[in-house]
Amino acid sequence: MPKPMGKRGMGAQKPKNIKGTMFRLIKYLKPHRGKMVLAIIGILISAFANIAGTAILAPLLNGLAAVKPSDDLALTGIAQLDALVFQGVAGKIQYLTILVCTIASVYVLSLLANYMCNRLLVAISTTTMTTMRNELFSHMQKLPIKVFDTTTHGELMTRFTNDVDVMNEFIARCIPQMISSVMTILGVFTMMFVLNWILALIMVCMLVVMLVIVKFIGGKSQKNFVAQQQAVGKLNGYIEELVEGQKVVKAFNHEQAAVSAFDVINSHWQEVSGKANGYANIMGPIMNNVSHFFYAAIAISGAFIAISSNEPLGFVGIIATFLMYIRNITNPIQQIAQQINLVFMALAGGERVFELLDTPVEVDDGYVTLVNADIDGQGNITESQMRTGRWAWKHPHHETGEITYTELKGDVRFEEVTFGYEENKTVLQDVSLFAKPGQKIAFVGSTGAGKTTITNLINRFYDVPDGKIRYDGININKIKKADLRKSLAMVLQDTHLFTGTVMDNIRYGRLDATDDECIAAAKSANAHQFIKHLPEGYNTLLTRDGENLSQGQRQLLAIARAAVADPPVLILDEATSSIDTRTEWLIEKGMDRLMQGRTTFVIAHRLSTVRNSNAIMVLEHGRIIERGSHDDLIKQKGKYYQLYTGMFELS
């Protein structure tokens, strides 16, 4: 089931900074200024060529309507000029040929310019979106675990797909059409005033009416397009998590409840999407009806002007050109109205992307680093550039710059640690414990007692507000997180395998590990035997989280991955929970070899796996209520005794 989207969950907030989002999106286009200029020039050429092509029709029509060559040419103005040119059949053919060639040349120029700008804008948009996705993915790797704990996977995926895609549409399609439409409107009105200012004023009235309609309908659709983007994110999040947990849904006969929950989310999407697209779809018919009204107005007004003028034939081409310009100007206005909806979607998607990019990265103020070390018989430590199998903490002094080294032994201590994931909700309360180098420390207790939280704090997935955690005497807040985690290896209950070969997945524990080291790690975890029987052995390709392996085999690979890392400290978070009793027995020897000489923290629900621990901590409600060896705790006959004997009674 999907995680609840609380106040901290991304996607819960509505976009509220449209201007800032637009400005940030434009900044991504700055590296492509040259191409953008060429694309805009192409758009302008295409728009003005279309306007000029229509304008050339006026003299053509006027010439065709002019008097015969036998007339006395008493006409004046445009009609007189056209009549002069049209004297004789040869003159008519020559004039028509020139006009046809001119119009053809203009439209070919428009076609070439349009092709050039589209190619440029597609290249700009794909490059820009690639850059944005790279930044988004790189930034995601730096985010604290808290972000992923409070946001569904599908919601995050929507930022990379839907939200980036609508911005790609904005750059590749919306920008050129908006510029072309605006330039067409300006050019058409200029030509109209050149031809006849009275008819041009009528067109101005039409433009005002259309702009009022666009503003009214656009305002209605804006908030719904923003809500639509948010609804898509929640819808994707729910679907992604339900698909991932489909076995659980079926196992508990939860299909109908899942469908009901999906209906609620899908109905919300339907509501906001219907409103958004409903307003967008009525824009075209309204604009067409308005244009029809003004089409008739121009025709009637032009007829009256022609009748009342001394040159009625001179208005034939002007009226026809105006009527064509009505069509030419209606389409750009409709396109602007339609593109405004895409602008709203792009800004909504952009703000969601920038919201993730603005999420604070994981803070790391540590300065102590982990280095390979050579240690002589007297305990003197020198830093080595080669892997020696021994490590040391490197301390640079803030003031003097002097460097000191502390051998990494794996001594971990909690000192009165109090922690909660949320304010006023304490998970650990005044926890103190220690693990000496090479010791195996086990945590047992009921679900929610705080066992996994302890391992999260050791890794600095979360920082401790009260108390201290020391690693070889060093406060872990002073250790760089990457170096701290390099000294640890975790085997989680929920195993995740990546697309790649078995060898690649084992090598994930240490990327510079050789094939022999990976095979040795697999043998130590007793994974080698089943790997040999795979179709391609270590070169067998795993897909979709290792779906072609059993749960136990996947867990063995995770243990082998930890083994190849060869860390001083191991954290096993119910690592054997998915392994059957026989397999568990097989790996015990390998696990013992793996844990030898290493500090190991074990969280286990099978108490038989922690019997040989140096110390067992029993947690309840965030506190350690019992501690000691297995025999000591059995003698105490406390909580551990109840858990241990109860387990055997159930088995």
Side-chain angles (χ1 to χ4, degrees):
M1 297 295 292
K3 301 170 188 174
M5 294 295 295
K7 293 182 179 179
R8 298 184 183 184
M10 284 188 243
Q13 298 180 356
K14 293 183 178 180
K16 50 187 175 291
N17 187 10
I18 291 179
K19 290 183 179 180
T21 302
M22 178 66 78
F23 179 74
R24 289 184 66 173
L25 184 56
I26 292 174
K27 285 178 64 177
Y28 277 89
L29 301 177
K30 282 187 176 181
H32 310 285
R33 286 188 292 264
K35 290 182 179 179
M36 284 296 297
V37 171
L38 290 176
I40 292 174
I41 291 174
I43 294 170
L44 296 178
I45 292 174
S46 177
F48 289 137
N50 287 327
I51 296 170
T54 303
I56 294 173
L57 294 176
L60 174 61
L61 294 174
N62 285 339
L64 291 173
V67 296
K68 301 187 186 80
S70 59
D71 291 344
D72 57 5
L73 302 181
L75 300 173
T76 59
I78 296 175
Q80 184 183 32
L81 176 62
D82 292 337
L84 286 169
V85 176
F86 264 73
Q87 291 182 25
V89 176
K92 291 181 180 180
I93 295 175
Q94 182 181 5
Y95 188 66
L96 286 172
T97 302
I98 293 173
L99 287 178
V100 169
C101 291
T102 303
I103 293 174
S105 300
V106 168
Y107 284 120
V108 168
L109 178 63
S110 174
L111 177 64
L112 294 175
N114 193 46
Y115 174 78
M116 179 189 74
C117 73
N118 283 332
R119 284 292 300 269
L120 287 172
L121 287 170
V122 167
I124 292 170
S125 64
T126 53
T127 303
T128 301
M129 293 306 104
T130 299
T131 300
M132 184 175 291
R133 279 198 174 102
N134 286 339
E135 288 187 14
L136 199 59
F137 189 82
S138 177
H139 183 77
M140 187 179 70
Q141 305 308 309
K142 302 173 186 176
L143 294 178
I145 292 294
K146 181 179 180 180
V147 173
F148 303 97
D149 286 343
T150 57
T151 311
T152 63
H153 300 160
E155 174 69 20
L156 288 173
M157 286 297 300
T158 303
R159 311 295 173 105
F160 286 88
T161 53
N162 294 54
D163 293 333
V164 174
D165 285 341
V166 293
M167 286 190 286
N168 182 58
E169 284 289 305
F170 171 72
I171 297 173
R173 192 179 70 177
C174 182
I175 289 180
Q177 289 192 1
M178 291 282 280
I179 296 175
S180 177
S181 298
V182 171
M183 291 299 102
T184 298
I185 292 171
L186 294 176
V188 165
F189 271 103
T190 301
M191 292 301 300
M192 284 179 173
F193 276 100
V194 170
L195 292 173
N196 188 281
W197 66 272
I198 297 176
L199 296 180
L201 289 178
I202 297 175
M203 292 297 295
V204 170
C205 295
M206 183 186 81
L207 179 63
V208 172
V209 172
M210 287 186 169
L211 290 179
V212 171
I213 294 173
V214 168
K215 182 178 180 181
F216 176 77
I217 298 179
K220 291 289 186 180
S221 62
Q222 173 186 358
K223 61 181 180 180
N224 289 296
F225 272 111
V226 171
Q228 177 181 302
Q229 285 301 107
Q230 296 175 340
V232 168
K234 293 180 180 179
L235 191 65
N236 288 346
Y238 187 83
I239 293 172
E240 189 269 342
E241 300 237 347
L242 259 291
V243 170
E244 184 178 342
Q246 194 59 221
K247 288 183 179 179
V248 178
V249 173
K250 291 186 177 296
F252 289 93
N253 296 316
H254 203 66
E255 293 92 340
Q256 190 56 48
V259 169
S260 300
F262 178 79
D263 283 343
V264 173
I265 300 173
N266 200 29
S267 296
H268 174 65
W269 172 84
Q270 179 187 13
E271 179 183 356
V272 296
S273 180
K275 290 180 179 179
N277 290 284
Y279 283 115
N281 290 337
I282 65 173
M283 187 79 73
I286 291 176
M287 290 297 187
N288 284 331
N289 288 323
V290 171
S291 68
H292 291 157
F293 174 80
F294 281 95
Y295 191 91
I298 288 292
I300 295 171
S301 301
F304 276 112
I305 294 174
I307 293 171
S308 61
S309 69
N310 295 325
E311 302 177 0
L313 293 179
F315 270 85
V316 173
I318 293 175
I319 295 173
T321 302
F322 262 84
L323 294 178
M324 293 189 67
Y325 275 148
I326 289 178
R327 297 300 184 194
N328 289 347
I329 204 172
T330 301
N331 289 334
I333 293 176
Q334 290 182 11
Q335 287 181 356
I336 290 176
Q338 292 171 355
Q339 298 311 313
I340 285 176
N341 297 325
L342 183 58
V343 170
F344 293 150
M345 292 179 64
L347 292 178
E351 191 156 52
R352 284 159 53 82
V353 169
F354 295 139
E355 180 187 19
L356 181 57
L357 285 172
D358 291 339
T359 303
V361 299
E362 193 172 25
V363 178
D364 188 3
D365 50 7
Y367 54 88
V368 177
T369 57
L370 184 67
V371 297
N372 290 300
D374 282 321
I375 305 175
D376 61 22
Q378 287 73 39
N380 297 318
I381 301 174
T382 56
E383 185 175 346
S384 174
Q385 300 302 318
M386 304 293 292
R387 185 177 179 86
T388 62
R390 303 187 72 175
W391 298 268
W393 300 112
K394 181 179 180 180
H395 306 250
H397 195 278
H398 286 300
E399 297 179 359
T400 65
E402 182 183 358
I403 295 177
T404 57
Y405 296 93
T406 301
E407 183 180 359
L408 195 164
K409 297 181 178 179
D411 186 295
V412 180
R413 298 175 183 268
F414 278 59
E415 299 176 358
E416 299 178 345
V417 171
T418 298
F419 173 79
Y421 294 100
E422 298 180 13
E423 293 183 6
N424 304 321
K425 290 186 178 180
T426 303
V427 178
L428 295 180
Q429 183 66 44
D430 195 27
V431 171
S432 295
L433 60 90
F434 64 88
K436 294 181 179 180
Q439 283 190 331
K440 178 181 177 181
I441 307 298
F443 299 105
V444 299
S446 58
T447 301
K451 304 184 297 296
T452 300
T453 299
I454 290 177
T455 62
N456 285 339
L457 296 181
I458 295 174
N459 276 278
R460 282 194 71 190
F461 291 151
Y462 297 87
D463 284 325
V464 178
D466 296 314
K468 293 181 180 179
I469 302 176
R470 297 188 183 277
Y471 195 161
D472 291 327
I474 307 168
N475 190 330
I476 64 170
N477 290 336
K478 297 179 180 179
I479 303 175
K480 280 189 173 294
K481 290 183 178 181
D483 292 271
L484 172 67
R485 293 165 187 169
K486 195 183 299 182
S487 72
L488 306 167
M490 289 190 70
V491 180
L492 303 175
Q493 180 179 4
D494 297 324
T495 302
H496 184 81
L497 299 178
F498 298 92
T499 298
T501 64
V502 171
M503 185 71 75
D504 291 336
N505 274 274
I506 296 175
R507 188 177 283 116
Y508 202 86
R510 181 162 59 89
L511 296 179
D512 61 350
T514 64
D515 288 353
D516 289 339
E517 289 175 324
C518 291
I519 293 172
K523 289 179 178 179
S524 68
N526 274 352
H528 179 72
Q529 196 65 28
F530 89 82
I531 294 174
K532 287 197 307 180
H533 291 88
L534 293 176
E536 303 283 336
Y538 282 87
N539 293 320
T540 300
L541 183 65
L542 303 180
T543 58
R544 298 185 61 179
D545 205 10
E547 63 179 355
N548 48 336
L549 300 179
S550 69
Q551 186 66 26
Q553 290 172 334
R554 294 166 60 192
Q555 201 76 13
L556 288 172
L557 287 183
I559 295 170
R561 179 191 294 168
V564 79
D566 193 24
V569 177
L570 282 173
I571 298 175
L572 309 176
D573 190 350
E574 304 211 28
T576 60
S577 61
S578 301
I579 298 174
D580 58 80
T581 305
R582 180 179 178 277
T583 305
E584 181 180 354
W585 178 82
L586 287 174
I587 70 168
E588 277 187 357
K589 293 182 179 179
M591 290 295 294
D592 287 340
R593 290 194 299 271
L594 180 61
M595 291 184 289
Q596 187 175 2
R598 294 181 172 87
T599 306
T600 306
F601 295 94
V602 179
I603 298 174
H605 72 287
R606 294 182 181 176
L607 299 189
S608 60
T609 63
V610 301
R611 291 183 59 176
N612 62 345
S613 300
N614 297 100
I616 299 172
M617 311 286 177
V618 183
L619 284 90
E620 190 171 274
H621 303 303
R623 295 179 180 271
I624 298 176
I625 59 173
E626 294 178 11
R627 70 182 76 201
S629 66
H630 170 77
D631 293 336
D632 292 338
L633 294 177
I634 289 296
K635 291 177 182 178
Q636 293 179 18
K637 293 191 175 182
K639 184 70 173 180
Y640 180 80
Y641 175 82
Q642 296 174 3
L643 292 171
Y644 189 79
T645 54
M647 181 194 69
F648 279 104
E649 289 173 0
L650 293 172
S651 59

